[in-house]
Amino acid sequence: MTAPAESPRIESESLGNQIRRAVLWRSGSQILVQMVQWAATFLVIRVLSPADYGLFAMTQVILGLLNMLNGLGLASGLIRSKEVSRQQIRQLFGMLLLVNGALALTQFLLAPWAAAYYRQPIVAQMLHVQCLIYLTTPFIALPFALLSRAMDYREQAKANVAGSLAGAVAALAGALAGLGVWTLVFAPIVLFTVRGLALMTAARAWMWPSFDFRGAGDLARYGSLMALGQLCWFAESQADVFIAGRQFDPHWLGIYTTSLFLTQIFVSKIVPPLNDVAFAAYARLNRDAGAVGAAFVRGVGIIMAAALPFYAGIAATAEPLVLTMLGPQWAEAVPVVRLLAFAMPLLTLQTLIAPACDAMGRPGLSLRNGATGAVLLVGAYLVGVQWGVIGLACSWLVAYPLYVAISLKRTLPVLGVAPSALLGAIRAPLFGALAMGVSVALVARALPPLPAPLALACLVPLGGVIYAAWLIAFARPLVRELAQVLPLGPARRVFQAL
């Protein structure tokens, strides 16, 4: 195998077409993947209990912490490098194998301590089995980096779909076989194993690793900064579960973490693949702050145009949504879901910042932002948890506005973006989502008592019509912008004609 060839000069129109195809493949496949995974997940949720999800969440704190060090930052360094040799690729493979082998051993040794902290002996057994996940990481990260350099998201899409189908089948089989919480342990292992095999084959990345790391200092330094930033992200995203796991019993921890799952579907499942494309695209702009800044504003506008109505809809339909998607045994999650939905737009915006900073060669800025968020959020969680699951949800609403404001103040000057430009990109979808959310909430109150699925079936289309009408009436430039990413030619022409 040879390193992917790089054109010395990439015309903007060509890059734009590459980005459009990449977004369509990455987002299109992600939608298919998520449809499969969500169908399996919501079926499994109806079989398993909140306590099962609480126990699983306890293991995810340790797994999440160590996964921040799994070497994906090294792969990002390979993506943004202008020239890559075969030896550098083999060195990256060797680094990934060593790092993840060490992480698997570390988790195995930490497992009894984690079980003692949570006072749940089964947690140690689960963590021991989950060590297998680290062994799949090198076979995912290496081909992912090679395919991303070439912006070949078609092959990535095929591998993601194959892995998700395998994971979904494993999850359903485990739940129906009565494996309980072990269903949640085995399904991801199957998913990552199949994905890794498919990616390695697609990228033709089967090769012997090199453990001679001479000349790989820049890659290691960049990866280290990325890893430190990811550690801060872990503190932000998992500290609440770590703190609550000590304070709540498995039932209430399961209520909280499943509420997070439901409200974070967009930011955790849809945004990351778009960020992958964004990082590769930013890196191709050769650190041109003006070009990266303009692309950042455009990307934020497009993503928030989809995210804001999604979150407003969750807040307005929380009760029928929870009862329909999760079942009546999850009714206690309704107020938690509603509160968290108000915080998710800020989390989404914060998530979009890091790829632009990293692609500009400023992972240290992402690290500073992450450290700030870790301090603010951990402090808020420690206070909020004293008031139970509702207090913990409210802590998001207290800490995240300040966190995002500080991050933007640091980042926008580096990208050459004026705050007014970013606000202008968000203003129309924000007001449209608010109008939609208030309207749907009022209609929901006026409806006669209906079964939850029927109420949801009435409210969701209503919300979609209201939001679309708002954009057409007050934000036609945004509608035309959205038309640029529509995959269907006739639909694109209709929207562009508005």
Side-chain angles (χ1 to χ4, degrees), residues 71-79 92 95-96 99 219-220 222-224 226:
L72 291 181
L74 298 171
S76 297
L78 191 74
I79 295 172
L92 173 62
M95 290 179 185
L96 290 169
V99 167
L219 184 65
Y222 183 87
S224 298
M226 291 280 285

Side-chain angles (χ1 to χ4, degrees), residues 267-290:
V267 68
S268 65
K269 305 298 183 183
I270 303 300
V271 173
L274 297 178
N275 269 346
D276 292 340
V277 176
F279 177 78
Y282 295 152
R284 299 286 284 271
L285 294 174
N286 297 322
R287 301 190 185 184
D288 181 342

Side-chain angles (χ1 to χ4, degrees), residues 23-371:
V23 168
L24 291 177
W25 272 107
R26 197 69 172 92
S27 59
S29 66
Q30 188 70 8
I31 290 172
L32 176 59
V33 164
Q34 293 309 318
M35 288 177 64
V36 172
Q37 290 185 346
W38 292 339
T41 296
F42 288 123
L43 288 173
V44 170
I45 283 176
R46 289 178 169 273
V47 177
L48 303 184
S49 69
D52 290 327
Y53 282 89
L55 290 170
F56 181 68
M58 294 175 185
T59 69
Q60 292 307 287
V61 174
I62 302 299
L63 198 65
L65 171 61
L66 296 180
N67 259 311
M68 296 300 101
L69 303 172
N70 65 7
L72 291 181
L74 298 171
S76 297
L78 191 74
I79 295 172
R80 66 180 296 275
S81 297
K82 291 184 179 180
E83 302 291 338
V84 174
S85 67
R86 181 178 176 81
Q87 175 62 13
Q88 287 175 309
I89 297 173
R90 293 180 61 222
Q91 286 175 328
L92 173 62
F93 196 18
M95 290 179 185
L96 290 169
L97 288 170
L98 289 178
V99 167
N100 283 277
L103 292 176
L105 178 60
T106 301
Q107 178 166 302
F108 192 89
L109 296 176
L110 286 177
W113 296 86
Y117 173 81
Y118 290 119
R119 298 185 286 266
Q120 298 289 340
I122 194 175
V123 167
Q125 302 169 36
M126 294 166 66
L127 284 169
H128 285 158
V129 176
Q130 288 170 326
C131 288
L132 295 172
I133 288 178
Y134 299 105
L135 305 184
T136 69
T137 300
F139 301 94
I140 294 175
L142 176 66
F144 175 85
L146 295 175
L147 293 172
S148 294
R149 278 183 60 81
M151 298 197 78
D152 184 354
Y153 292 94
R154 180 176 180 175
E155 294 301 327
Q156 285 189 19
K158 294 177 181 178
N160 290 340
V161 170
S164 296
L165 287 172
V169 170
L172 288 172
L176 295 176
L179 296 182
V181 71
W182 289 102
T183 299
L184 306 176
V185 173
F186 291 125
I189 295 173
V190 172
L191 186 155
F192 291 132
T193 300
V194 173
R195 180 184 295 173
L197 292 172
L199 283 171
M200 288 290 286
T201 301
R204 299 184 180 90
W206 296 105
M207 65 183 71
W208 288 107
S210 173
F211 299 102
D212 178 0
F213 301 128
R214 287 175 293 183
D218 289 342
L219 184 65
R221 281 189 293 272
Y222 183 87
S224 298
L225 285 174
M226 291 280 285
L228 289 173
Q230 289 295 315
L231 280 175
C232 292
W233 175 252
F234 164 81
E236 301 169 26
S237 61
Q238 293 294 324
D240 52 347
V241 178
F242 182 75
I243 293 167
R246 183 76 173 181
Q247 298 288 330
F248 300 165
D249 62 27
H251 173 86
W252 280 109
L253 185 61
I255 292 292
Y256 175 75
T257 55
T258 303
S259 300
L260 275 178
F261 162 76
L262 193 60
T263 53
Q264 289 184 344
I265 281 177
F266 189 92
V267 68
S268 65
K269 305 298 183 183
I270 303 300
V271 173
L274 297 178
N275 269 346
D276 292 340
V277 176
F279 177 78
Y282 295 152
R284 299 286 284 271
L285 294 174
N286 297 322
R287 301 190 185 184
D288 181 342
V292 173
F296 172 74
V297 171
R298 183 170 184 256
V300 167
I302 291 172
I303 291 175
M304 295 304 282
L308 288 167
F310 179 84
Y311 299 133
I314 288 179
T317 64
E319 183 172 356
L321 178 67
V322 168
L323 296 179
T324 300
M325 304 305 291
L326 306 182
Q329 72 269 33
W330 294 91
E332 293 162 311
V334 170
V336 185
V337 166
R338 185 172 288 119
L339 286 170
L340 289 172
F342 287 109
M344 290 304 117
L346 293 169
L347 173 60
T348 303
L349 180 57
Q350 181 65 40
T351 304
L352 299 174
I353 295 173
C357 296
D358 296 340
M360 289 281 292
R362 298 289 297 273
L365 183 56
S366 294
L367 175 59
R368 288 178 61 198
N369 290 338

